[in-house]
């Protein structure tokens, strides 16, 4: 199956700016991208990174293709969907908790007893779409707003079946400071290591655990 | 397997106070409790609600036992663990996205090819422990702070094996206003219905979807 990892290369992860500087956000976004590339490689895929700008400065795992397209995310992904035959797997670049097991279970759940769902979605927190399998050739994405609900509607308009897959690890996209706590608690790869080296640590209070910088 | 649902009956869900009044929080907490009771019943369990106060005012599904214990959560659960033989399933009362499928997958994953993990955990967002299977008789809980990490340590001290189960539906405990968006987006039961009737609706902005009241 073809696999795509869309990546916003310029000024990424602005909602982390209370914890990380602009340079740090750029570096951390690339560490997460590398982590997702490595996870897909380990799962047996050869991902293509669909980047808004050149990644010549970024060491990616060998045999990772990069396509540069400076259009907004939705248009860039849809051009890729239009240009190739399904199925296509699309995985967001900010999922450092994604593991080969989580990806395998996502793909397996999208293929229930041989009845492939036309669309499989691993939702993100807050209505996003973090991983997607597209088997319906006419399906197009819309990542703006509550994309999980929009993707259901788009599929329904096409008469396409949708399978929603239940994964915390795929739901945890890293956008906000509280998400960094998830990486510190549950991560075991380079993204966690990067945060620890940057002095980001858990801040245990009364409610959910947050982060602070030492 | 014995199943427990701990429930904080007095002034629950204080972190929702920007959206719901005290009476509404009490009502909504009971709707979520009923939802979790019904889910466990559907999955084949006969849950016991371990409540900090009498629930005579609350209609629960038939054959739901209630034990009143006004101790803090951790002490109340540990007294139950000490008083009965394992295994015990403990499911938090604020998981309206829990479904029979999610509970079944949690139990199945805790029993990997016949090798029962001594402890199985479905983590909550922010380091919590939302569902737990305890098969090790000496294990005791500690729900304060980053309980997910603490439960790993407690298990390690006992030489007990731990299986962490990857479920967004079990990870989504409803504590903060943004969690209500998850119920509106992904829920299909009485908790979602209650929120809709209370005028809580999705607020779609640039980042994650939140909620507002109409």
């Amino acid at each position: 199956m073809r696999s795509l990892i869309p990546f916003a290369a310029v000024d990424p992860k602005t909602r982390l700016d209370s914890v990380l500087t602009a340079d740090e956000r750029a570096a951390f976004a690339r560490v997460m991208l590398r982590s997702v590339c490595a996870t897909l490689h380990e799962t047996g895929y050869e991902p293509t990174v669909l980047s808004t700008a050149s990644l010549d400065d970024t060491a990616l795992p060998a045999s990772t293709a990069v396509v540069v397209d400076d259009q907004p995310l939705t248009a860039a992904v849809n051009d890729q969907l239009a240009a190739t035959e399904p199925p296509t797997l699309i995985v967001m670049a900010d999922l450092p908790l994604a593991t080969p097991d989580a990806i395998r279970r996502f793909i397996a759940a999208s293929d229930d007893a041989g009845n492939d769902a036309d669309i499989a979605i691993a939702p993100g927190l807050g209505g996003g779409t973090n991983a997607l399998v597209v088997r319906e050739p006419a399906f197009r994405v819309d990542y703006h707003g509550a994309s999980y609900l929009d993707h259901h509607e788009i599929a329904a308009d096409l008469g396409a079946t949708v399978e929603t897959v239940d994964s915390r690890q795929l739901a945890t996209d890293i956008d906000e400071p509280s998400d960094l706590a998830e990486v510190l608690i549950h991560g075991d790869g380079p993204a966690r290591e990067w945060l620890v080296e940057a002095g980001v640590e858990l801040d245990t209070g009364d409610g959910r655990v947050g982060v602070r910088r030492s």
Side-chain angles (χ1 to χ4, degrees), chain A:
Chain A
M1 192 183 305
R2 182 172 196 215
S3 57
L4 290 177
I5 307 174
F7 183 67
V10 181
D11 196 24
K13 298 292 151 202
T14 50
R15 282 185 278 158
L16 293 178
D17 68 358
S18 65
V19 181
L20 303 177
T21 67
D23 284 353
E24 287 173 335
R25 287 187 277 110
F28 183 58
R30 282 160 173 76
V31 169
M32 293 198 288
L33 170 65
R34 274 200 292 276
S35 168
V36 173
C37 287
T39 297
L40 287 184
H41 278 293
E42 274 180 67
T43 320
Y45 295 93
E46 295 197 352
T48 296
V49 176
L50 182 59
S51 176
T52 55
S54 162
L55 290 177
D56 289 347
D57 62 334
T58 305
L60 293 173
S63 81
T64 304
V66 177
V67 170
V68 176
D69 185 334
D70 65 2
Q71 294 183 92
L73 177 62
T74 293
V77 169
N78 283 336
D79 279 1
Q80 293 292 320
L81 289 175
T84 53
E85 291 294 306
T88 302
L89 167 66
I90 306 165
V91 179
M92 291 294 127
D94 57 355
L95 303 178
L97 302 186
T99 55
D101 275 357
I103 298 287
R104 259 180 231 120
R105 192 166 62 77
F106 174 57
I107 301 293
S110 79
D111 175 13
D112 188 12
N115 292 313
D116 285 347
D118 296 322
I119 307 295
I121 303 181
L125 298 175
T129 301
N130 284 357
L132 197 57
V133 173
V134 179
R135 293 197 180 88
E136 161 59 52
F139 183 85
R140 295 295 177 266
V141 297
D142 180 356
Y143 281 107
H144 188 77
S147 65
Y148 173 75
L149 297 174
D150 295 338
H151 289 149
H152 267 272
E153 271 186 33
I154 295 166
D157 288 346
L158 295 166
T161 56
V162 179
E163 179 74 30
T164 299
V165 181
D166 175 25
S167 170
R168 174 184 53 80
Q169 292 171 231
L170 297 180
T172 311
D173 48 337
I174 307 303
D175 283 322
E176 302 184 359
S178 63
D179 304 326
L180 300 178
E182 303 298 327
V183 182
L184 291 172
I185 293 167
H186 297 289
D188 63 356
R192 181 180 194 284
E193 205 170 299
W194 189 95
L195 289 174
V196 170
E197 277 174 25
V200 179
E201 52 192 38
L202 291 175
D203 187 6
T204 310
D206 264 352
R208 288 180 182 158
V209 173
V211 293
R212 63 173 174 237
R213 277 191 90 160
S214 59

